[in-house]
Amino acid sequence: MKKLMLLFLLLTNIGLSAQQKLFHTYTDSVKLIKDANELATAFFTKVKLADASMTKVPQAILNTQPYLVFYTSENNAVNLPLWFQLNTDLQLFFSELSVGNKSEGKKIFGLFFNGFYIARELGHAVQFAKEKNNTNKYQGELFANTLAILFWRESANKKELEKCYNYVNSMLKILPDPVPAGENEEDYFNKNYQKLAHEPRKYGYIQFSQFKRIYEDKSLPGFIAYLKNYSLR
């Protein structure tokens, strides 16, 4: 009986491991790209229900850079990082977000940058296809973050999204607000975008504050309705 129970638990753990996709820290780049491409297909299947003109599905590629996760329009690609390829400063940044706990910082990285933010970059792909000349970086981030949150909220990863929200609340208590007193956050972000992109603490604060604002906005419609409204603008 004990042997059967152990076998059952072993098989269950193997099954859970095999099913776990995104929202964790990958070591296997092939698996990360495969899972991210499956997400891109699912994401754009929903996008096409709102806007049939959106036919080009971005492809995920491994490209670990200080920007972590980003969309490049020239090759229609979502660029993804691996934890062990990050430089020391970035790994320390994630430890800082978890009050010096390196293993917890690694978990935060996986949850957001091998998970949540992949959908955000797919949102940037939608935005580039519809309004490639839009120079308002803040509104661009707000749109992509909103689309990502609405997508994950309607997916099987709703619980992972909630974990992201809980971490966001903790991280916003750690990171200082970079916006000078009396200055508008959107204006500050747009004026300093290139500089902020190289300062993860400041850039992270604004990204996480957007996440919190969107997640808590009860007036938002569903993914398809939101995207239909966007396409009609």
Side-chain angles (χ1 to χ4, degrees):
M1 185 66 179
K2 287 183 178 180
K3 289 183 178 180
L4 286 173
M5 183 60 71
L6 287 171
L7 179 60
F8 172 76
L9 291 172
L10 177 62
L11 291 173
T12 300
N13 287 332
I14 291 172
L16 288 173
S17 176
Q19 292 169 19
Q20 190 177 19
K21 294 184 179 181
L22 306 177
F23 290 96
H24 65 95
T25 306
Y26 281 76
T27 56
D28 183 344
S29 62
V30 174
K31 185 72 167 62
L32 172 61
I33 299 307
K34 178 179 180 294
D35 291 348
N37 279 327
E38 287 181 8
L39 168 63
T41 298
F43 189 97
F44 267 75
T45 296
K46 290 194 75 171
V47 167
K48 289 173 192 176
L49 293 175
D51 187 341
S53 70
M54 298 295 299
T55 57
K56 290 187 176 181
V57 180
Q59 295 296 301
I61 61 172
L62 181 68
N63 184 17
T64 303
Q65 298 291 335
Y67 305 109
L68 297 177
V69 178
F70 56 101
Y71 172 72
T72 44
S73 58
E74 58 270 19
N75 57 348
N76 193 32
V78 174
N79 298 255
L80 302 178
L82 286 176
W83 169 261
F84 70 85
Q85 293 180 344
L86 297 185
N87 62 44
T88 303
D89 287 343
L90 275 174
Q91 290 195 4
L92 287 173
F93 167 65
F94 285 103
S95 294
E96 179 185 328
L97 292 179
S98 57
V99 199
N101 187 326
K102 186 175 181 180
S103 62
E104 191 72 6
K106 185 176 177 181
K107 181 179 176 181
I108 291 171
F109 167 84
L111 197 63
F112 284 90
F113 295 95
N114 285 168
F116 172 78
Y117 281 127
I118 302 175
R120 183 194 68 180
E121 297 313 314
L122 294 170
H124 278 310
V126 171
Q127 184 184 35
F128 183 83
K130 302 301 290 185
E131 45 177 339
K132 62 183 68 178
N133 296 319
N134 189 341
T135 58
N136 190 320
K137 298 294 187 181
Y138 186 88
Q139 288 298 322
E141 294 301 319
L142 193 63
F143 169 79
N145 279 320
T146 301
L147 206 57
I149 286 176
L150 294 178
F151 176 82
W152 290 122
R153 186 171 280 163
E154 296 173 4
S155 75
N157 296 100
K158 188 175 180 179
K159 288 184 178 179
E160 284 74 17
L161 179 64
E162 185 178 1
K163 286 181 184 177
C164 288
Y165 172 69
N166 291 333
Y167 272 115
V168 160
N169 284 323
S170 298
M171 293 185 295
L172 286 174
K173 294 175 183 176
I174 295 169
L175 295 172
D177 184 348
V179 183
E183 189 165 352
N184 176 273
E185 183 174 276
E186 182 173 342
D187 292 339
Y188 172 79
F189 186 83
N190 286 331
K191 284 189 299 184
N192 298 281
Y193 178 76
Q194 293 300 329
K195 183 180 178 182
L196 290 171
H198 297 280
E199 299 185 53
R201 288 159 186 83
K202 294 179 179 180
Y203 191 83
Y205 180 93
I206 293 175
Q207 285 289 343
F208 297 144
S209 65
Q210 279 199 358
F211 184 109
K212 180 177 173 66
R213 171 182 160 190
I214 297 160
Y215 189 94
E216 294 176 353
D217 186 352
K218 304 300 183 184
S219 68
L220 287 170
F223 180 92
I224 292 174
Y226 178 81
L227 197 49
K228 281 183 176 179
N229 292 336
Y230 168 76
S231 298
L232 290 172
R233 291 189 313 182

